[in-house]
Amino acid sequence: MNDDTKSKETTLSFEKIKQDVLRPMQNHRGLELWIVFLITVISVGAWAYYVQLRDGLGVTGMRDYVSWGLYIANFVFFVAVSLVGMLISSILGLLKVDWIAPISRIAEIIAVAFVAVAGLVIVLDMGRPDRVLNVMIHGRFQSPILWDVTVITTYLVISALLLILPMIPDLAICKKEIKTAPPMLKKLYAILSFGYTNTPEQHKHLHKMIRTLMVLIVPVGLAIHTVTSWLFAATLRNGWDTTIFGPYFVAGAFVAGSAALIIAMYFFRVNYKLQDYITELHFDKMGKLMVAVCLVYLYFNVNEFLVPGYKMKSGDSVHLKELFFGSWAIMFWSSQLLGNILPIILMVNKRFRMPKPIMIISIFVLASAWFKRYVIVIPTMLHPHLPIQNVPDNYQHYFPSSVEITVTVLSFALALLIITVLAKIFPVVPICEIADQKGIDYKIEE
Amino acid sequence: MTQKTSDKSRRNFLKSFGVTVGAAGVVSSFSLLSAAKAAAKEPGETVNLLTADGQLVQVDKNQLRPTVNEPLDELQQRGREGIAGKSFVMVIDLSKCRNARKCMSACQNHHQLRADQHHINVLQMQDADHTAPYFMPKPCQHCDNPPCTKVCPVDATFKRQDGIVLIDNERCIGCRFCIAACPYSARIFQWTEPKDAEKYKDLTYNIEANVPQKKGTVSKCLFSADRLREDKLPSCVSACPNGVYYFGDRNEDAVTNGTSGETVRFSKLIEENAGYTLMEELGTKPRVYYLPPKNRAFEFNGDLLNEENLH
């Protein structure tokens, strides 16, 4: 990727914004190949899942002690990343932070893709996915799983609405401007633009709706990750049995989500040639935001590990010693250092908040965030209250099997495919919102 | 009026028919149902049926009646209700255990488990440095405040009136939340096709023994609820050669030793021997009581460091 920054003082007209944003939607270069690649990966993953269905979860590395493994860690990661939608477009949006306008749609696309796949990942982990409807038929509201199912579906719906509603004016433009679109897509634009012509009344109603949703998604967003943390915190296990898991997970989710957004911003800026819209200023601001959320996360990490580490209660001590100095030390410390401490130190410097350095830092942060979830889920399962005895050797360790890894790769490919398709058929940067912000007049014709 | 009666009888028919052919799947039951409806109009038509002993017979469609008793349903219902008036408890005398493991193998036989799957597991314990090691049989504690049943999203695992915590593997979705929630590591999962799955595949599921085991579902100790119904002691209790186990009813305040057959007062046994429950600080309120390993009948012959020396 080559990021040749254009001169910053380009004057924007509505025509230019429209062309710049709609161009990548009509230009296919390389896209088919990428989609074919993703579909191939998904097919291989689907085959691995078929093997798992046929032979049972025994094809994974999980056994009676580590009965939640890679899938659950990955599920937590997906839920975490999806929280960026709520952070950017709602919290910052409600605070009337105006620089988020060009990147809020990318944030919503990430949110929709990741939360949708998170819902799927949890089904992939089930021993009897054929009985998934039992959750509706025999659902018990006392179980945190029911809460999780409820809030994840709600979050998916609100996120999808928060993606589509602010896009209505842009889709009205797409309907008119993209002549080469296949008929199905044209129809989609026609339906989703709801005959919007930007009359003052339409504008008022639309923005009222968006604002309502922005308020609604804040508690739902908090809930999805808090409830996900309760899947662990509601048990009596060493390492999970803590009261700060909710906010700790939410803080970690903001870090992971911001990192994912920065990577996506960089990709769209370079590949879609959106340097005039996703500017250095946006990376700079995102860098500062990331430092802020990383500091909050660091604070929670200190609380989560230092306080029990100070006391070294009998159960916790086995667990914490394994994390700090034992077989999990490398993964634990590298996820803390590369995913939290070093990024803070680097990103307080302005030059590390330039697009390329911050994108590279974000890759480390995102990868560390993934491994951090792994460190949260698996070691605890290996340190139960009673000794692990009289079981085969492979019950006492955990390493994901190739089938498990392949199915997990599927989840990533699927999320990327959803993002690719959404970014292909929808303008990734809001045309009308930018024009509004720059004070450019525009008209949307029927 | 006639309309009403026919409606009612059809409803009854639908209800019982649905139960009968539930296993055959929705599709086939609908087609059978429409066949049966059609039969009412066209008398004399016959249908081929397979009898329980494998013979194909022809029956007049008008003669079709839904089966009255569905064994699975009955087993499920009484399994969920439990035995009225009982409150089962187990007492494990640690001073008598010498790791004979007869309890483990009897349990595995009863519940169709492989040798590495444990509803009951005899653990070598040492509570702290320099304290005496001992053997501790560990079944499900059948807690009165069970962390496992709380988290089940589908009510597949539940506590019934006589205190036993059961698992319904006809309903379990295999999320394994209960395994994560259990502090005693008492639950296992059928990761692959269970032992002898082919042999037992036609057996009607008995929730009180959780057999036949099913791939992709959770299994656990059930205090041999099916044997309790026949007034027998749990498999592990009966199999012990060393008098480790007492089992009985807290309401009657009586527990019976599985080896000697001697029945003693539960309260007195616990009181005189300083009985305790496992990890009582977690608030789970177990129904399995332990008597401390003092004045032992056998030397501790285990090796806490090397598992392989055990056998």
Side-chain angles (χ1 to χ4, degrees), chain A residues 387-391 396, chain B residues 101 122-124 303-311:
Chain A
I388 303 176
Q389 288 173 5
N390 312 325
V391 286
Q396 312 189 24
Chain B
R101 301 197 169 192
V122 181
L123 301 174
Q124 300 181 54
D303 179 347
L304 283 166
L305 295 176
N306 196 345
E307 276 264 317
E308 279 143 27
N309 290 355
L310 260 173
H311 307 288

Side-chain angles (χ1 to χ4, degrees), chain A residues 53-54 56-58 62-64 67-68 125 127-128 131 134 138-140 143 231 237 386 389-390 392, chain B residues 101 118 121-124 149-154 169-177 179-180 189 191 215:
Chain A
L53 269 188
R54 189 191 59 196
L57 278 167
M62 293 184 278
R63 287 299 178 265
D64 288 346
S67 56
W68 280 351
D125 182 67
R128 293 297 302 256
R131 294 179 180 172
N134 277 8
H138 301 292
R140 275 177 82 246
S143 169
L231 297 184
R237 284 178 182 261
L386 295 171
Q389 288 173 5
N390 312 325
Chain B
R101 301 197 169 192
H118 312 296
N121 196 357
V122 181
L123 301 174
Q124 300 181 54
T149 63
K150 272 187 206 167
V151 298
C152 180
V154 295
N169 79 21
E170 289 279 313
R171 185 182 287 184
C172 174
I173 60 170
C175 70
R176 312 188 296 291
F177 202 169
I179 299 184
F189 187 72
W191 298 96
K215 182 176 87 177

Side-chain angles (χ1 to χ4, degrees), chain A residues 57-346:
Chain A
L57 278 167
V59 299
T60 68
M62 293 184 278
R63 287 299 178 265
D64 288 346
Y65 288 89
V66 183
S67 56
W68 280 351
L70 185 60
Y71 292 156
I72 297 291
N74 197 43
F75 164 73
V76 178
F77 174 80
F78 270 74
V79 176
V81 171
S82 77
L83 224 59
V84 72
M86 164 231 180
L87 171 68
I88 298 295
S89 46
S90 301
I91 297 186
L92 297 188
L94 287 172
L95 292 172
K96 302 234 187 284
V97 176
D98 53 3
W99 58 266
I100 59 154
I103 58 171
S104 61
R105 186 159 304 154
I106 301 177
E108 274 321 321
I109 288 176
I110 294 176
V112 169
F114 274 77
V115 79
V117 176
L120 178 79
V121 169
I122 205 85
V123 176
L124 297 180
D125 182 67
M126 283 170 59
R128 293 297 302 256
D130 53 316
R131 294 179 180 172
V132 69
L133 283 182
N134 277 8
V135 178
M136 311 289 158
I137 303 166
H138 301 292
R140 275 177 82 246
F141 217 73
Q142 296 94 317
S143 169
I145 288 190
L146 256 281
W147 315 338
D148 221 13
V149 170
T150 313
V151 288
I152 284 184
T153 4
T154 317
Y155 187 74
L156 177 59
V157 171
I158 302 184
S159 292
L161 286 176
L162 267 178
L163 174 65
I164 293 166
L165 288 186
M167 205 158 54
I168 288 175
D170 290 0
L171 291 177
I173 294 171
C174 288
K175 184 177 73 174
K176 200 162 165 346
E177 296 287 328
I178 306 184
K179 304 252 170 10
T180 52
M184 267 225 328
L185 200 54
K186 275 186 181 155
K187 205 162 181 185
L188 184 74
Y189 292 146
I191 294 170
L192 288 183
S193 56
F194 297 100
Y196 189 83
T197 50
N198 202 26
T199 62
E201 201 178 350
Q202 281 179 333
H203 190 271
K204 199 184 102 195
H205 281 308
L206 183 62
H207 282 261
K208 216 171 178 178
M209 271 198 284
I210 294 170
R211 246 189 116 63
T212 314
L213 285 173
M214 273 158 62
V215 174
L216 273 180
I217 203 166
V218 175
V220 178
L222 280 175
I224 59 163
H225 219 41
T226 307
V227 170
T228 302
S229 84
W230 288 348
L231 297 184
F232 308 101
T235 70
L236 296 162
R237 284 178 182 261
N238 303 316
W240 291 351
D241 186 2
T242 120
T243 49
I244 65 163
F245 247 37
Y248 170 54
F249 270 45
V250 171
F254 287 160
V255 174
S258 307
L261 177 60
I262 291 172
I263 297 169
M265 276 163 60
Y266 185 85
F267 175 83
F268 287 120
R269 170 182 155 98
V270 173
N271 263 38
Y272 280 27
K273 304 214 171 8
L274 296 173
Q275 282 90 345
D276 287 338
Y277 309 93
I278 304 171
T279 63
E280 282 176 10
L281 170 105
H282 294 103
F283 287 91
D284 187 66
K285 295 275 192 194
M286 278 307 292
K288 286 176 180 164
L289 178 69
M290 188 106 123
V291 171
V293 291
C294 274
L295 281 170
V296 176
Y297 192 41
L298 182 64
Y299 169 72
F300 275 111
N301 270 293
V302 169
N303 276 278
E304 173 63 21
F305 293 105
L306 219 60
V307 176
Y310 184 86
K311 295 179 284 191
M312 282 295 180
K313 234 165 68 183
S314 52
D316 286 342
S317 76
V318 179
H319 177 66
L320 290 175
K321 278 177 188 158
E322 277 290 302
L323 290 187
F324 294 165
F325 326 107
S327 47
W328 293 91
I330 293 177
M331 208 186 268
F332 177 78
W333 288 113
S334 48
S335 68
Q336 293 286 14
L337 283 173
L338 299 175
N340 208 338
I341 297 166
L342 283 178
I344 295 174
I345 295 170
L346 290 178

Side-chain angles (χ1 to χ4, degrees), chain A residues 389-445:
Chain A
Q389 288 173 5
N390 312 325
V391 286
D393 203 39
N394 64 340
Y395 280 46
Q396 312 189 24
H397 313 283
Y398 171 76
F399 195 82
S401 72
S402 51
V403 170
E404 217 171 345
I405 293 169
T406 316
V407 172
T408 301
V409 171
L410 169 147
S411 64
F412 279 92
L414 193 60
L416 286 175
L417 184 66
I418 296 174
I419 294 174
T420 306
V421 171
L422 290 179
K424 173 69 200 161
I425 61 174
F426 295 138
V428 289
V429 167
I431 304 168
C432 299
E433 213 175 316
I434 290 181
D436 277 339
Q437 218 174 55
K438 304 254 176 209
I440 302 169
D441 271 337
Y442 59 92
K443 251 185 20 217
I444 299 172
E445 289 149 39

Side-chain angles (χ1 to χ4, degrees), chain B residues 49-93:
Chain B
L49 291 175
L50 197 64
T51 62
D53 53 2
Q55 282 195 321
L56 201 60
V57 291
Q58 276 201 332
V59 185
D60 193 302
K61 271 187 180 170
N62 285 335
Q63 300 296 310
L64 278 180
R65 293 287 178 277
T67 319
V68 185
N69 289 327
E70 175 53 51
L72 176 67
D73 260 31
E74 205 175 90
L75 285 171
Q76 291 288 85
Q77 200 190 338
R78 74 172 198 197
R80 280 193 176 255
E81 275 169 6
I83 303 168
K86 295 282 187 184
S87 178
F88 294 112
V89 284
M90 182 184 267
V91 181
I92 299 177
D93 187 351

Side-chain angles (χ1 to χ4, degrees), chain B residues 116-136:
Chain B
D116 56 18
Q117 297 178 305
H118 312 296
H119 282 181
I120 184 164
N121 196 357
V122 181
L123 301 174
Q124 300 181 54
M125 298 290 289
Q126 187 173 24
D127 294 339
D129 293 345
H130 314 300
T131 60
Y134 57 95
F135 291 111
M136 184 182 83

Side-chain angles (χ1 to χ4, degrees), chain B residues 237-256:
Chain B
V237 175
S238 303
C240 178
N242 298 317
V244 174
Y245 297 95
Y246 295 83
F247 191 88
D249 182 357
R250 199 157 53 187
N251 290 343
E252 288 174 356
D253 196 20
V255 284
T256 306

